[in-house]
Structures are given as structure tokens and as C-alpha cells.
Amino acid sequence: MTPLARAQRQLKAHPLAADATLATCVLICMLAGSFVDPHGEHSVSWSIRTPDPLSLLLMTLSAAALVLRRSAPMTVLALTGTFSLVESVTGDPRAPVAMSAVVALFTVAAATDRATTWRAGLLTMTVLTGAAMLAGPLPWYAQENLGLLAWTGIGATAGDAVRSRRAAVQAIRDRAERAERTREEEARRRVAEERLRIARDLHDVVAHHIALVNVQAGVAAHIMDKRPDQAKEALAHVREASRSALNELRATVGLLRQSGDPEAPTEPAPGLDRLDELAGTFRNAGLQVEVARADQDTTLPAAVDLAAYRVIQEALTNVQKHAGPDAKAEVSVVRVGPRIEVTVLDDGAGDAPPPAEGGGHGLLGMRERVTALHGALTTGPRYGGGFRVHAVLPLETRPSAQEDLV
């Protein structure tokens, strides 16, 4: 860091010292100007003159007032303006006391708003220039009077320009900070949505397959001694369900890998094309499942296809867990105009109670999936026994929904 840059940093860190330094420089300039007579004896040359004691006092007081220009800019302007007014009326030859008023006017313009700058600038220019022209020792058209008008105008204009630049820079910084906060909030939102999506997938996979494993394992334990062949078949179903669970878990967890990790699985997400396979796994577990489709082989968007599959999977899992081994389930997939409707019914033949709305995350996960696609989900007990899950999904999805759910 250069010595000049180091000095600037120190002055910014200590504004009172910076103002004292500026006041000293202004005093030196005023003293230097007060010893020079631009007209000389023949009004065509420069000569040395001695300022009178009043001018020296006014210059000292006005320079001392500049030390407080940041804390009380309007007061300092009033003081320096008063000292300059006295000098412009009494000084002969005139000392450059107005230099302090110009600096004070610059400070007011830089620290306040434009309306205040206009009022203070016009008042200072009018009072000082008018007094010098009307009551001063020089003719009204003297160049010193015109110079006083010009310098006060320059001080106000320069201060207003500095204030405008500071405001523009601050506005840019504020916009950058808001944009940074917006990016951080968007990143947090996306992370939360991704965590929720992965949690839904994990719940659907684990709940479905573990329910099947639990049922088949119970069957195998019950008939192991009496019917070993059927027990082996049940254990085979356990093995198949666990292998399917591992494959889907691997595909889901693969989404969490970083860019430098090995390539994630590319197996497509399950959809309604695997509905028969899904129903078969439940039939193997002893649940009677009937499937009816009237969707005319409609090609669904990936997000809708996955959501429909997961709704059916979760609904059948609830039937398996809550409706009992003797229950029957009916699955229907119907296209109605621009929507696809998925319905899962059970007759409630088992002894277990139906799932409650707030009893777990299954119904909540289904509702979140459907709502994210701007669809509708209704669940509840059926008249006469059983449970009903009905989802209405649009065939057209927004890009953001597909990114969140696929």
C-alpha cells in the first residue's frame, strides 16, 4: 500500500482529523491569497500586501468552524457565510474569506438533499454577491464580485454531484446485497424442496417394500413347519421385495452424489407402465388387487406418471398394512379430458382400522406430490366400510413442477 493510500485510509477512519486537516489547508490558502493584491499599483500586476487584523481574525474563525462541518453543516455554513459577508463589506482590499463558505456550502450539498441544496445555495449566492456588489468597496461589476457568484455556485453544484454519486453507488450496493440474499434464499428453498422430494421417495419405497417383506416373513414363519414349500415361496417373495427396495433406494440415494462421484444410476423413475408389476407384488403378499385402466394408453409427463405411480403404491401399502390380509383393493386409472384420475378403493374386510389423516407421512406425502402438480387429492372412509383414495392430476405440468418431482 502506498503512503498516499495509507494516509487516505487513516483520514477516513478519523473524520474529525480529516476535517481539521482540511480546515488547516483552507486557512493556508486564505492566508496566502490575503497577502496578494491582484491589481497592484497600476491594476495590471500582482503585488504583496498586508491584510488587516479583522481579515486575519475572520479567516481564522471561518477555518476553525470547518472542523465541525460534518456534525453541523448548516451551522457551519451560517457562520462561514456571516464571516464572508462581513469581509465582503469591510475588507479593502478584500481577503478570500469566502473560500470557507464555499467549502461549507459544498458540505451541505453533499450531506443533504437537492431541495436543501437549492435553497442554501441560492441564499448564500444572493446574500454574499448582493452585499459585495451593493455595500462593498469595489464597483458592482468587479471581477471579485462575479468570482464570488461563480465559486458559490460551483461549490453547491459539486456537492450535489458528489451526493448523487454516493446515492448511486449505495443503490448499486443495495441491489447487489438484495440479489445476494435472493440467491441465498432461492438456494435454501431449492435445498428444502429437494430434501422433501427425496424424503417422499424414500418413504414410498421403504414403506411399500418393508410392508411386503413384513407380510411375507410373517407368512413364512407361520407355515414353516407345516408347509415348507409355501414357506420357501414366501421367502422368495421376501427376497424379491428386498432386492427391489435396494434398487430403488440406490437410484434415489444416487441423486445425492456430488459431481465428482461415480456416475449415478440411469434407470428411469417408475410409472404407470409398471402398474401390473406393482399389483403383482401385492398379490404375491396375499392382497387381492384388481386393476382397471381407461386412459387410452395416454403418454403422461414424467412428473405426473411418477406421482400417479406413487399414489397407487402408497394407497395399496396402506391397504396391506391397515385393511388386513382378507381385504380386496380396486385400482382404476381413467383419463377425463385434460386430466388423469387415479382411484384406489378397499372393502375394509380386515380387522385393522383404516389409516388416519394425521397418523403418518404416507397421506401427507401423497397430498404434497399431487398439490405440487396443481392437482387434487381426496381421501377418507367409504360408506359401508373401507377406504378411498382419489387423485386428479393434470396432463400438462409446469416446468418447475417437473424439475421438483422427476
Side-chain angles (χ1 to χ4, degrees):
M1 181 182 297
T2 62
L4 179 59
R6 188 181 297 108
Q8 290 178 347
R9 174 173 295 184
Q10 292 177 353
L11 289 177
K12 288 182 179 180
H14 303 85
L16 187 61
D19 290 339
T21 303
L22 176 63
T24 302
C25 295
V26 171
L27 178 60
I28 293 174
C29 293
M30 289 190 295
L31 290 175
S34 65
F35 282 92
V36 177
D37 185 3
H39 300 290
E41 296 180 358
H42 304 288
S43 299
V44 294
S45 62
W46 296 79
S47 61
I48 302 298
R49 61 188 174 94
T50 301
D52 54 37
L54 180 59
S55 297
L56 292 176
L57 177 62
L58 293 175
M59 286 186 288
T60 303
L61 293 177
S62 59
L66 292 178
V67 177
L68 303 176
R69 69 186 187 96
R70 294 178 193 261
S71 57
M74 296 299 295
T75 302
V76 171
L77 177 61
L79 291 175
T80 55
T82 301
F83 297 150
S84 301
L85 178 63
V86 173
E87 176 62 22
S88 63
V89 173
T90 61
D92 187 20
R94 187 184 303 165
V97 181
M99 183 181 297
S100 60
V102 172
V103 175
L105 183 59
F106 170 88
T107 303
V108 170
T112 60
D113 54 81
R114 181 161 294 175
T116 304
T117 300
W118 273 96
R119 289 193 294 267
L122 288 176
L123 180 62
T124 304
M125 292 169 58
T126 302
V127 171
L128 293 184
T129 306
M133 288 182 174
L134 297 177
L138 298 177
W140 69 269
Y141 53 83
Q143 63 179 1
E144 285 84 351
N145 296 336
L146 300 179
L148 186 61
L149 177 67
W151 279 109
T152 51
I154 291 174
T157 304
D160 183 72
V162 170
R163 181 194 54 79
S164 300
R165 181 180 180 277
R166 289 175 181 172
V169 171
Q170 186 62 39
I172 293 174
R173 290 176 179 173
D174 292 341
R175 285 196 297 269
E177 292 178 358
R178 286 195 300 268
E180 184 65 24
R181 287 196 298 269
T182 302
R183 284 193 295 269
E184 293 177 355
E185 292 173 357
E186 178 68 15
R188 286 193 295 268
R189 184 187 66 82
R190 287 185 174 273
V191 168
E193 290 178 352
E194 183 65 12
R195 291 175 60 187
L196 179 60
R197 186 188 69 81
I198 294 175
R200 284 198 301 259
D201 286 341
L202 289 176
H203 174 272
D204 293 341
V205 171
V206 172
H208 164 59
H209 291 290
I210 294 302
L212 296 181
V213 168
N214 180 62
V215 171
Q216 295 292 350
V219 172
H222 182 68
I223 64 176
M224 178 66 71
D225 296 332
K226 299 179 181 180
R227 288 173 285 179
D229 294 337
Q230 293 185 13
K232 290 181 180 180
E233 183 180 352
L235 292 176
H237 291 318
V238 169
R239 181 180 180 184
E240 181 65 26
S242 60
R243 182 166 58 248
S244 299
L246 288 174
N247 290 336
E248 292 198 34
L249 284 174
R250 187 179 299 111
T252 302
V253 175
L255 299 175
L256 301 176
R257 292 178 175 172
Q258 302 297 324
S259 58
D261 292 340
E263 184 178 358
T266 58
E267 181 181 354
L272 292 182
D273 57 336
R274 295 174 55 181
L275 180 56
D276 293 335
E277 177 185 347
L278 176 65
T281 61
F282 284 99
R283 293 190 186 104
N284 293 333
L287 179 65
Q288 301 180 49
V289 180
E290 295 181 2
V291 178
R293 299 189 64 171
D295 53 346
Q296 295 83 36
D297 296 328
T298 303
T299 301
L300 301 178
V304 176
D305 202 16
L306 175 61
Y309 179 88
R310 293 302 190 195
V311 167
I312 296 173
Q313 182 186 54
E314 179 62 29
L316 290 178
T317 301
N318 287 337
V319 174
Q320 181 74 52
K321 291 191 298 184
H322 299 285
D326 298 328
K328 296 180 181 179
E330 299 177 4
V331 178
S332 65
V333 180
V334 181
R335 176 173 179 177
V336 182
R339 299 180 299 275
I340 196 82
E341 296 189 8
V342 175
T343 306
V344 180
L345 307 174
D346 71 84
D347 58 4
D351 297 330
E357 279 289 335
H361 299 286
L363 295 180
L364 178 61
M366 283 193 290
R367 193 174 305 280
E368 289 174 346
R369 284 184 181 277
V370 174
T371 304
L373 295 171
H374 306 283
L377 178 75
T378 56
T379 60
R382 298 173 61 194
Y383 179 76
F387 202 79
R388 177 177 182 269
V389 175
H390 181 70
V392 180
L393 298 168
L395 293 179
E396 294 184 359
T397 61
R398 299 179 183 178
S400 59
Q402 294 188 22
E403 292 175 2
D404 292 340
L405 295 176
V406 175

